[in-house]
Amino acid sequence: MRVGLGYDLHRLVVGRPFVIGGLSIPFDRGPEGHSDGDALTHAVVDALFGALAEGDIGQHFPPGDPSCAGINSLRMLAKAISIVNARGYRVANIDAVIICERPKLSPHYKEIRENIASVLSVDISQVSIKSKTNEGLGEIGAGEAIAAQAVALLEKAD
Ligand code: MG
């Protein structure tokens, strides 16, 4: 088995759709980024690459790469899981935390879990999503940023 850790943060700016875990949620601002700025999915991708010691998301998807402009981050996740599978591993489970002051994300957990589980070809029971506010502290607490942390456990496929 191998375990990996991922972390990501994006600024939240007016004029961008609020995308998290492949889901667009109505809100007055959204994550800035070269892709769709999906911090949760980026953290999961980095957890998968970390478990394989395969570097990080920036090496696989260079920030200036025109083919990644505005990309749906679930496509990055699909590429990451294809690398995991090619290395002979499958996902045992994912656990993640989103740190965000607003909007309230708990009503969307199930759909986010389904999105990620579907791309990873695992059961929804293998994908855990939680969220916290930052108690009003710092940039995240002021609603100026969103962050996410994720761990991925991989097991050797037989
Ligand atoms: Mg990112």
Side-chain angles (χ1 to χ4, degrees):
M1 289 190 156
R2 300 185 66 111
V3 67
L5 168 69
Y7 170 80
D8 195 28
L9 179 144
H10 283 258
R11 290 175 188 268
L12 290 173
V13 296
V14 172
R16 292 269 298 180
F18 189 95
V19 180
I20 191 78
L23 188 67
S24 284
I25 297 171
F27 194 53
D28 63 3
R29 62 188 75 182
E32 196 172 48
H34 183 61
S35 66
D36 61 6
D38 186 338
L40 171 64
T41 300
H42 293 176
V44 173
V45 167
D46 255 351
L48 295 176
F49 287 144
L52 295 174
E54 273 280 352
D56 64 27
I57 192 168
Q59 291 170 245
H60 292 268
F61 305 97
D65 185 345
S67 72
C68 295
I71 192 176
N72 179 334
S73 294
L74 292 181
R75 287 176 53 201
M76 298 176 166
L77 185 62
K79 185 175 171 191
I81 192 63
S82 74
I83 293 171
V84 168
N85 294 334
R87 287 275 299 271
Y89 287 89
R90 65 183 170 214
V91 170
N93 73 296
I94 300 283
D95 187 21
V97 187
I98 305 160
I99 307 105
C100 179
E101 212 64 20
R102 286 184 310 124
K104 193 172 174 60
L105 297 175
S106 54
H108 307 287
Y109 287 170
K110 185 162 182 288
E111 201 168 347
I112 291 171
R113 291 170 66 207
E114 283 169 351
N115 284 347
I116 291 173
S118 165
V119 175
L120 298 178
S121 298
V122 299
D123 190 78
I124 189 171
S125 66
Q126 292 165 273
V127 178
S128 162
I129 301 296
K130 311 180 293 296
S131 64
K132 313 279 288 182
T133 72
N134 216 37
E135 293 286 345
L137 296 170
E139 290 84 359
I140 294 174
E144 295 168 6
I146 180 170
Q149 302 173 342
V151 289
L153 184 67
L154 306 183
E155 58 190 357
K156 201 77 177 168
D158 29 48

